[in-house]
Amino acid sequence: MSNDRPGSGHVEPGGIADAIALDAVAVVSSFLPNDLVAALRARAKACDAAGEFVAAGVGRGSARALHTDQRGDRIRWIDEAPADAAERGFLAALEGVRADVNRTLALGAFALEAHYALYPPGAGYRRHLDRFRDDDARVLSVVAYLNDAWHADDGGALRLHLDSGPRDVLPAGGTLVAFLSASVAHEVLPASRERISIAGWFRRR
Ligand code: OGA
Ligand code: MN
């Protein structure tokens, strides 16, 4: 299994589309600047303190259900046109990715839906695909991590199941992972401390 160290398969922001074309996944270690990571983390904490997070579900529409055995996070959706400056900064950064992947990969990525996710210690998310059985609109999954000073022994890796084998990515603050929603199965391993991220999906029309 490849280690999650910068240099071991990590790319620059401009290399995201090429890495996805090659491996179905791209990992950028310092995609978000530290001040934006801190502002987004503070925003997530404030929303959580205000009771705005809800237990995450699995599935969609009438098939949607709570499966705490499958995933143990709680989430809060980010508005499409948020008032919060940090959230606007996040969406602007992702807009660059959308333009790049559409130009290079012709994914037809159109709109982004994104939510904060908070995993309490011990919580994970079992192996899954990000596409719903009844809806193939999600083309590209993106996950941005908001954690301060994450260490390998904190656990909480995102494990991607690639054709070339499993690949673990640590949820270090500022790291962005992007992968094809239709084909890359993945899971969140439990961590020994709280784990904060933003998970998003570009949809096609
Ligand atoms: C998800 C997901 C991965 C992560 O929310 O669908 O797979 O690393 N998240 O938080
Ligand atoms: Mn997922």
Side-chain angles (χ1 to χ4, degrees), residues 30-118:
S30 294
F31 179 77
L32 298 176
N34 288 338
D35 54 346
L36 184 55
V37 172
L40 289 166
R41 184 171 61 238
R43 168 82 175 139
K45 294 270 194 195
C47 292
D48 190 39
E52 295 176 12
F53 277 68
V54 293
V58 173
R60 184 174 164 273
S62 57
R64 187 168 181 80
L66 277 184
H67 286 284
T68 45
D69 56 322
Q70 287 182 50
R71 64 185 293 191
D73 57 329
R74 57 186 188 276
I75 64 165
R76 181 198 182 278
W77 289 96
I78 294 176
D79 293 341
E80 260 174 62
D84 183 81
E87 291 175 352
R88 297 175 87 93
F90 172 77
L91 295 181
L94 267 291
E95 181 55 27
V97 174
R98 188 180 76 87
D100 181 32
V101 297
N102 279 345
R103 197 182 318 110
T104 310
L105 303 173
L107 287 178
F110 172 63
L112 180 72
E113 48 180 353
H115 63 55
Y116 294 105
L118 256 157

Side-chain angles (χ1 to χ4, degrees), residues 86-177:
E87 291 175 352
R88 297 175 87 93
F90 172 77
L91 295 181
L94 267 291
E95 181 55 27
V97 174
R98 188 180 76 87
D100 181 32
V101 297
N102 279 345
R103 197 182 318 110
T104 310
L105 303 173
L107 287 178
F110 172 63
L112 180 72
E113 48 180 353
H115 63 55
Y116 294 105
L118 256 157
Y119 290 78
Y125 192 161
R126 293 251 175 93
R127 180 174 174 150
H128 66 280
L129 285 173
D130 282 347
R131 269 208 184 161
F132 300 117
R133 227 161 292 171
D134 61 339
D135 179 357
D136 64 0
R138 288 177 169 183
V139 288
L140 189 73
S141 301
V142 290
V143 190
Y145 298 106
L146 306 180
N147 304 295
D148 187 32
W150 197 272
H151 301 288
D153 57 7
D154 293 326
L158 169 65
R159 179 162 292 168
L160 301 155
H161 296 278
L162 306 173
D163 289 344
S164 53
R167 174 169 179 188
D168 284 3
V169 180
L170 287 180
T175 295
L176 180 83
V177 185

